[in-house]
Amino acid sequence: MQYSLLNYSVKEMTMKIALTGTLILLCSMAGFSYSDTTSEGGCYRISNLRVSNAPEKKNNGSNWDSVWGEADIYIECFVKEADGAELTGFVTDRRQDAGTCATWDIEPVLPICEMGAPGESYISFLVYDKDAFSDDFMDSGTIDITELS
């Protein structure tokens, strides 16, 4: 189905997502819905992506990187739609020796087709420390897509 630009509605917002630990993820989002109601879906452009307040060390007290010490932060983002489909949204490049904060100057667009009821659809952010052999999970958080409409 094709939609003309005249049928889109746009909503700009800034999101502050407190992840499960102390880490905070900040971003701006612009939502473009396919019609006057967001239940039909749309897409979200993410910009000004920033991680702050990342832990300086792993839970066990060791450094993130055994050789250099500071975390090499990157983010993986995916969308889970109401129909259960999980779509990879994007993966940022790593920020070498970022330590406790990192920023990205990117503007990925996440298509969302099935909004569903609250709790059924969300955008998930997973934060990692990049390593040579096995990346370390740092934190994660989600945005319920219905909160964006």
Side-chain angles (χ1 to χ4, degrees), residues 5-148:
L5 190 57
L6 297 175
N7 291 338
Y8 278 81
S9 63
V10 179
K11 182 177 183 180
E12 296 275 346
M13 65 202 86
T14 299
M15 303 297 295
K16 178 178 179 181
I17 308 157
L19 304 184
T20 56
T22 60
L23 193 141
I24 297 171
L25 185 138
L26 300 166
C27 64
S28 299
M29 299 186 84
F32 305 87
S33 61
Y34 295 144
S35 66
D36 292 338
T37 66
T38 56
S39 62
E40 294 180 33
C43 60
Y44 291 89
R45 183 186 69 236
I46 296 177
S47 59
N48 305 315
L49 186 59
R50 184 174 76 203
V51 166
S52 62
N53 214 29
E56 292 181 11
K57 297 187 181 284
K58 296 180 186 180
N59 287 338
N60 66 8
S62 65
N63 290 333
W64 287 108
D65 291 338
S66 59
V67 177
W68 306 112
E70 295 194 307
D72 307 320
I73 299 173
Y74 74 94
I75 297 174
E76 180 181 318
C77 175
F78 67 90
V79 175
K80 179 184 176 285
E81 295 189 329
D83 64 1
E86 284 191 7
L87 310 170
T88 298
F90 63 91
V91 178
T92 66
D93 59 338
R94 72 174 172 174
R95 293 295 186 240
Q96 184 74 31
D97 298 326
T100 61
C101 60
T103 60
W104 291 266
D105 186 24
I106 57 173
E107 291 194 3
V109 175
L110 303 173
I112 299 167
C113 299
E114 298 293 330
M115 297 290 275
E120 289 184 345
S121 304
Y122 56 86
I123 301 172
S124 182
F125 297 90
L126 292 90
V127 182
Y128 293 94
D129 166 46
K130 181 75 174 162
D131 289 329
F133 300 106
S134 177
D135 297 346
D136 296 314
F137 174 78
M138 295 179 80
D139 212 341
S140 67
T142 60
I143 301 172
D144 187 317
I145 293 173
T146 59
E147 293 177 17
L148 304 176

